[in-house]
Amino acid sequence: MCRWFAYISPEEPCLLSDVLIEPANAISKQCSEHYLPQLLPHGEEHDLDDSNDALMKMRNSLLNMDGLGVAWYTKAAENYIKGVKGQRPALYKTQSPPISDFNFRNLCSNTETQCLFAHIRATSGSVVTQVNSHPFVFGRHVFMHNGAISSFSNVRRDMTDLLSFDAYCNILGSTDSEHAAALYITNLTNHGTKDTWEKEYPLTEMQSAMNKTIVQIVELQQKQLGDKATPNSLNFCATDGHKMVATRFRNHAMQQPPSLYWSEFAGRTLNQKFPGNPDGADMVNEAATKGTDEKIGKHTIIASEPTTYDEGEWHLIKANCMLTVDEKGTEKEVPLEYDAKFNAVDPNFA
């Protein structure tokens, strides 16, 4: 399946290369290698091939080579364009493998931001093209997804009927994920026109819009497919540059959703200005310019996989829960609200 990485801080910028390229398990290297503490290993199992969880093996044996996208927030437009206040997302997408993409590497080594989305794609069936790569931008809001809306072709038309006109027109590709993004922005703005995408909304409204989006998807599937509906994997993430919401969801009574972790500490380990190294406690960071007693600013990382060696820096988000991050960087994990009657049976992984 896909992998994504998100960083947000009210005060501490990150250098893109520090978090996306340099670590041994940076997202740019998760095309084929995976690190899933608390999910793998299971007990005495030490390798993905040893796992008895067939769904886990399927999700993590695929190559994530179908597209790369990065969105980072910058105040550049505010300095030049009348009427623009605050930071806005810049976007880079490519079909090249991230490690060998010269433009991506150069961009990352010279760009810092206080809010960042990065995504590597493993297609669930739609065409491989730049417009189908995540993240998806709606004004000041950005959205990305790991997983799949099951039987998307059966509910796609009904999903579009729920969209605002401008949200529908902003869909440039053919993925289930971009349709989910358009549904989220429709819910967040109460069917607003594209000028409403430039506004910020309270965190409670972002949380409500995300929860509503998930419920609408499973309701449409039950309406169209009944007992033939199969489970979705909906690890969504959305931000306005100051706040963030992320979900780890699968509507199945027993199966785990795709992996999703968060950390309030790993940003220091990843930041080359500070002592420490993301790849091991015994590795020396000779580039450090800060002392061991100096503190880093408040920050939050949410990611499909940990990007530092220290498992203690990371928390696995509970199944069918949402993590919210407010303007001050305060994190809160809350259960998603949905009716268990929408849980579906997976015929491929009993």
Side-chain angles (χ1 to χ4, degrees):
M1 288 188 128
C2 306
R3 292 291 189 273
W4 56 253
F5 175 97
Y7 176 98
I8 191 167
S9 172
E11 55 186 328
E12 187 73 48
C14 67
L15 184 66
L16 268 60
S17 58
D18 278 355
V19 297
L20 302 183
I21 294 178
E22 298 302 332
N25 199 50
I27 190 171
S28 59
K29 298 165 186 171
Q30 291 170 20
C31 293
S32 57
E33 301 296 329
H34 305 300
Y35 171 50
L36 304 171
Q38 301 180 57
L39 292 175
L40 286 174
H42 301 286
E44 297 300 316
E45 300 161 3
H46 295 281
D47 189 84
L48 179 62
D49 291 336
D50 298 326
S51 175
N52 292 321
D53 189 331
L55 180 58
M56 181 80 67
K57 291 173 69 174
M58 182 279 292
R59 285 175 179 159
N60 298 291
S61 61
L62 300 177
L63 295 177
N64 305 308
M65 298 289 285
D66 298 324
L68 162 73
V70 182
W72 68 99
Y73 280 76
T74 170
K75 291 185 177 181
E78 180 183 47
N79 297 328
Y80 295 91
I81 302 175
K82 183 179 180 180
V84 174
K85 293 185 178 181
Q87 54 188 0
R88 291 295 189 277
L91 186 65
Y92 177 81
K93 295 186 180 184
T94 179
Q95 290 171 236
S96 300
I99 289 299
S100 60
D101 187 322
F102 171 82
N103 293 322
F104 169 68
R105 296 182 66 86
N106 186 265
L107 183 155
C108 288
S109 64
N110 291 280
T111 304
E112 68 171 8
T113 186
Q114 288 176 220
C115 187
L116 167 68
F117 272 16
H119 187 282
I120 52 174
R121 182 173 179 243
T123 179
S124 57
S126 53
V127 65
V128 176
T129 181
Q130 287 185 7
V131 294
N132 279 342
S133 293
H134 312 218
F136 305 105
V137 175
F138 292 78
R140 72 185 306 144
H141 301 270
V142 183
F143 184 102
M144 60 185 173
H145 173 208
N146 175 25
I149 297 177
S150 63
S151 305
F152 175 58
S153 60
N154 294 95
V155 298
R156 180 175 181 174
R157 183 165 183 175
D158 285 347
M159 279 186 70
T160 61
D161 288 342
L162 297 176
L163 304 179
S164 68
F165 178 78
D166 284 350
Y168 175 77
C169 291
N170 200 65
I171 297 174
L172 303 178
S174 57
T175 64
D176 56 341
S177 304
E178 191 172 15
H179 284 73
L183 185 55
Y184 166 76
I185 200 70
T186 297
N187 291 331
L188 181 64
T189 64
N190 194 24
H191 287 256
T193 54
K194 62 182 179 181
D195 60 293
T196 63
W197 306 346
E198 300 301 330
K199 299 178 182 179
E200 288 191 50
Y201 297 85
L203 183 62
T204 53
E205 293 183 19
M206 294 172 65
Q207 179 181 342
S208 176
M210 186 67 84
N211 202 127
K212 182 178 180 180
T213 299
I214 290 175
V215 171
Q216 286 173 314
I217 291 169
V218 296
E219 284 179 340
L220 287 178
Q221 289 168 330
Q222 187 175 81
K223 174 185 173 183
Q224 288 292 336
L225 301 167
D227 293 340
K228 295 182 179 179
T230 55
N232 305 272
S233 291
L234 305 179
N235 283 19
F236 292 152
C237 192
T239 186
D240 61 7
H242 292 124
K243 305 177 292 298
M244 191 173 289
V245 292
T247 63
R248 181 171 181 248
F249 178 83
R250 186 166 176 82
N251 57 318
H252 188 280
M254 300 295 293
Q255 291 176 348
Q256 284 284 321
S259 57
L260 193 62
Y261 302 82
W262 73 275
S263 177
E264 70 272 56
F265 304 117
R268 190 180 196 276
T269 308
L270 292 165
N271 192 320
Q272 65 177 288
K273 294 189 296 184
F274 291 87
N277 190 295
D279 302 333
D282 57 343
M283 301 186 72
V284 178
N285 174 16
E286 296 181 354
T289 58
K290 303 286 188 180
T292 55
D293 58 338
E294 293 187 71
K295 295 183 179 180
I296 194 170
K298 176 64 178 165
H299 65 278
T300 306
I301 295 174
I302 312 173
S304 300
E305 298 187 24
T307 52
T308 67
Y309 75 93
D310 186 356
E311 294 184 19
E313 292 183 334
W314 297 89
H315 315 277
L316 178 66
I317 296 175
K318 294 182 179 67
N320 297 345
C321 284
M322 181 188 304
L323 185 76
T324 66
V325 186
D326 68 14
E327 300 95 327
K328 296 180 180 179
T330 303
E331 305 94 352
K332 185 179 181 181
E333 188 173 316
V334 295
L336 285 160
E337 298 178 3
Y338 84 106
D339 196 319
K341 72 180 182 182
F342 293 121
N343 282 340
V345 175
D346 189 340
N348 298 314
F349 302 96

